[in-house]
Amino acid sequence: MDRPSLTLGIEEEYLVVDRETRDLVRSPDPGFLERCSEALGDRVTPEYLQCQVEVGTRPHASVPEAIEELTALRRAVAEAAEAFGYAPIAASTHPFAKWREQTHTRKARYDALREDLGHPVRRMLICGCHVHVGIEDDDLRIDLMNQAAYFLPHLLAMSCSSPFWEGEDTGLASYRLTVFDALPRTGLPDPLASWSEYRRLTEHLVASGCIEDATRIWWDVRPSDKFPTLEQRVTDVCSRVRDAAAVAAVWQSLLGFLLRLRTRNQRWRVYPATLVNENRWRAQRYGAGAKLVDHGRQRLAPYADLVEEILELTLPDAETLGCRAELLHARRIAAEGDSAARQRAAYAGAREAGADHQEALGKVVDGLIAEFLEA
């Protein structure tokens, strides 16, 4: 078997806000998306709701190359938005916008989703970040998916950016998952023995009339139906691009590590979904401030300690892949906190300075606007 390329691509979803009101732009001027398309071509697309856009990089050999393009994509979207008095933010929920007030993009696929999924899809005022890594062999892609699922909560914890929902602090670092998990075929993937078993599963659902194709399977990690990649989808979108770089580096390096184990005829233990889901919940609740279960030792451990263990496991692979600096930034996120923590701090600081509730939420949006292009 040839060694997989481990190339990577990054997809991010953004919310578009009005600079004056800080609220979402429910129906952006058509010229906004036209300007985005003129600058970026098919690397920018509309999302389910009109207040959202999605960007995607091309495949790259290394995280620094992918992040260079991602930074350019963010800059182009921000420049297009500025011409209309808008600004993009990379947060998985807006601090105070109302989902009932949003309008969905009129597109056959989105119309079908609305008809098929009912009320839950109307609440999808959320944004995520997906990272694809090239694993060209079909069976290997499934084998790595089974093993890598263990680390999904660790990725989620470093990315959390959705503490507020409709003007309230939810008590969660990632409220996005609460919304997303209301849809079918989400969460952890089924452990599967082979690519053929995965195809039988998807073909069963298609033949039964449940889904039109495998893109309607929205697991936290899945084989992409469009590319020969393993796609992690559990993470919130990161407010700062350097945090997105860390997420990409951890994902790419973890897969490199699991491949290295394979060359030694070893593998990572596949734990029951209930145990992995316990960490998924704890990451969703507490973000980078979490204590997650160290399942090998059967004890809770501070997230910062688990990050150190991941670094120890994956640093040789990060060196090979050229993303050492980006991987090590995970340590800084664990020490300083995620976007959710910064948003709460911005709100608390504004309140202490005399702002009322709504004004303080506006300050949270201001912070997200500033972080969008932060190096």
Side-chain angles (χ1 to χ4, degrees):
M1 181 187 300
D2 293 335
R3 179 175 172 81
S5 66
L6 296 183
T7 53
L8 77 155
I10 303 171
E11 299 167 346
E12 289 189 325
E13 298 160 344
Y14 308 137
L15 294 168
V16 182
V17 302
D18 184 292
R19 282 185 173 273
E20 184 174 343
T21 67
R22 280 86 160 188
D23 201 349
L24 290 175
V25 181
R26 298 168 199 168
S27 298
D29 188 301
F32 163 62
L33 195 58
E34 289 173 8
R35 287 204 180 199
C36 288
S37 297
E38 287 170 3
L40 302 174
D42 61 2
R43 288 177 293 161
V44 62
T45 56
E47 253 300 321
Y48 175 71
L49 294 176
Q50 290 189 35
C51 59
Q52 297 171 295
V53 294
E54 178 179 354
V55 301
T57 71
R58 299 183 177 92
H60 292 278
S62 70
V63 172
E65 292 174 6
I67 292 302
E68 182 178 3
E69 183 182 7
L70 186 65
T71 301
L73 293 176
R74 285 195 178 205
R75 187 180 304 114
V77 172
E79 289 173 356
E82 187 173 10
F84 295 89
Y86 309 155
I89 60 172
S92 282
T93 58
H94 186 278
F96 62 84
K98 309 294 186 184
W99 63 263
R100 289 179 178 84
E101 297 175 353
Q102 310 309 315
T103 54
H104 82 280
T105 302
R106 298 317 301 261
K107 194 176 178 181
R109 176 177 173 82
Y110 295 147
D111 289 345
L113 280 174
R114 186 181 176 92
E115 179 67 24
D116 181 40
L117 299 173
H119 193 278
V121 80
R122 289 185 58 207
R123 295 191 304 131
M124 290 285 287
L125 188 54
I126 56 175
C127 295
C129 171
H130 307 158
V131 183
H132 294 254
V133 170
I135 308 289
E136 287 74 16
D137 182 88
D138 292 338
D139 283 324
L140 179 59
R141 203 177 312 134
I142 296 299
D143 185 35
L144 293 178
M145 180 181 76
N146 293 334
Q147 297 179 65
Y150 178 90
F151 297 99
L152 295 173
H154 305 75
L155 284 164
L156 171 62
M158 65 193 298
S159 72
C160 293
S161 66
S162 49
F164 294 102
W165 181 254
E166 296 200 335
E168 294 186 13
D169 188 327
T170 66
L172 304 179
S174 175
Y175 190 73
R176 163 185 153 267
L177 282 188
T178 300
V179 177
F180 195 68
D181 286 348
L183 300 184
R185 303 176 296 278
T186 57
L188 295 177
D190 294 316
L192 298 166
S194 64
W195 175 255
S196 60
E197 185 177 1
Y198 168 72
R199 293 308 304 170
R200 285 196 298 272
L201 182 152
T202 58
E203 289 164 5
H204 182 108
L205 291 171
V206 171
S208 302
C210 299
I211 59 175
E212 60 188 34
D213 55 45
T215 64
R216 296 290 185 93
I217 294 175
W218 297 303
W219 291 334
D220 292 342
V221 58
R222 69 179 184 184
S224 170
D225 201 48
K226 298 178 180 178
F227 312 109
T229 63
L230 189 58
E231 175 192 7
Q232 80 78 16
R233 305 165 45 83
V234 74
T235 47
D236 278 7
V237 63
C238 292
S239 303
R240 304 185 302 200
V241 73
R242 63 176 176 269
D243 295 348
V247 168
V250 171
W251 182 235
Q252 188 190 38
S253 299
L254 278 169
L255 293 176
F257 162 68
L258 294 174
L259 283 167
R260 185 156 49 88
L261 284 184
R262 186 184 179 91
T263 65
R264 301 173 183 175
N265 203 29
Q266 298 174 328
R267 58 188 290 109
W268 195 261
R269 179 179 173 183
V270 177
Y271 285 85
T274 296
L275 297 181
V276 179
N277 272 323
E278 185 63 28
N279 272 344
R280 185 182 189 267
W281 159 249
R282 298 186 69 84
Q284 180 183 354
R285 172 69 173 87
Y286 300 109
K291 286 186 176 180
L292 302 184
V293 183
D294 181 331
H295 289 301
R297 297 181 176 88
Q298 296 185 30
R299 63 175 178 83
L300 288 174
Y303 180 65
D305 292 355
L306 298 177
V307 165
E308 289 302 321
E309 291 187 4
I310 289 174
L311 295 181
E312 183 179 352
L313 293 173
T314 61
L315 265 174
D317 307 284
E319 295 275 7
T320 300
L321 293 164
C323 60
R324 184 179 189 275
E326 291 78 11
L327 182 78
L328 289 175
H329 183 65
R331 177 183 288 158
R332 185 170 175 182
I333 296 173
E336 298 179 359
D338 51 27
S339 174
R342 294 194 302 277
Q343 290 180 52
R344 288 188 169 116
Y347 176 85
R351 292 288 276 168
E352 290 171 6
D356 64 23
H357 174 65
Q358 193 62 35
E359 290 169 339
L361 291 171
K363 291 296 184 185
V364 176
V365 176
D366 289 343
L368 291 168
I369 292 172
E371 287 190 350
F372 187 79
L373 292 178
E374 195 174 299

